[in-house]
Amino acid sequence: MGGVRWAFRCGSWTPSRSEWLLAARCVQREEKERIGQFMFAKDAKSAMAGRLLLRRLVCDRMGVPWSDIRLERSPRGKPYLANPACSSPETMGWSFNISHQGDYAVLAAEQGLQVGVDVMKTTMPGSTSVPEFFRIMTRQFTDYEWSVIRRAGSEWEQLTMFYRHWALKESFIKAIGTGLGFNLQRAEFHLSPEPIAEGKVCRRTTMHLDEEEEEVWAFEETVLGKDHHVAVALGPSHTVRSVPPPALTDPPPSFTFLSFSDLISMATPLFEEDSAYWENFQKKAEAPERQRLIATV
C-alpha cells in the first residue's frame, strides 16, 4: 500500500453551524474540549481539520471503524493509534503525522517507515526587522545553512529559504519524536538543486546529522498554494524491520486536497450535539474583526 499525502484548505474553510457541530461530534471528547479552548477561530479550524484528517486515515487505510478509533499523543506530542484491540496486519507498522500552519492542514503517512511532516508559510516578522529576526534565530541553523539563507536574494527570498529549512528540520524531529529538546544544529540540510514549485514533489535534499550524511533518511519537499512550504521526512522504522530504507526509485506522492465532505465521509458521530460549541466558535470568529475595527477608531 502506498503512502498517503493529504491536504485541507482550512484557511478558506468557513464552516456552517451544522458543519462545525458535526465536526465536533466526530472527534474524541477531550479533543473537542481542547479545540474549544483556542482563542482564535483560525486555530480552532486548523486543529479540527488535523484531527479529522487523522481519523479519516485510520478509518480508510487501516480499516478501523470510526467509533473504535482511539488516538493518543506520545509524551512529546506525536499522534498514535492507542487501541490494542485494533491491532491487525492492516494497522501494524503505520506511522502518521500532521501539521497545520497558515492556510493549510497536512497529513503524511507510511507503512513501515517513520514519518514527520511540517508546513510553514513565509511571512514577514511581525514586530521586528528581518536581520533582527535572523539574529534571534541564529542558534537554530548551522553556519552553512545561514550562508544559503542569506545568499537567497531579497529579504522575502531569504525568509522563504529560512522557512524551507525550518520545515525540513521540524519534519525530522517530528518523525523521530524528540520534541523541543533536540539541538537543531545537529541536523544540517543540503538542499536539492531542483527548484521547488507547486504541484511538483522533490526528493533530492539530503541531511547531515552530527556532520555525517544520513543515507537512510529521505526528504520530500513541495509548495502548497502561495508561500506554503511542506517537508516530509521519511526514515527507518524501529518496529518493522522487514521494510528497507526509503526507496528513492519510487516517485514521491503528491498531496491530494480533501474537502470537508471528504473528511467526514466515513465519520460516525460519537456523542450528542452541543449547540453552545457553535456559539463559542462564532465569538472566536468575530474577535479578529472587532480588533480590526477598534484599531481603526
Side-chain angles (χ1 to χ4, degrees), residues 58-78:
V58 174
C59 187
D60 183 31
R61 298 305 174 94
M62 303 184 204
V64 179
W66 192 281
S67 58
D68 292 343
I69 298 170
R70 181 70 191 177
L71 292 167
E72 299 286 356
R73 297 172 186 265
S74 72
R76 291 175 176 171
K78 191 168 185 180

Side-chain angles (χ1 to χ4, degrees), residues 183-194:
N183 179 1
L184 292 180
Q185 288 197 3
R186 291 181 57 198
E188 179 179 273
F189 286 90
H190 292 240
L191 302 184
S192 164
E194 294 181 61

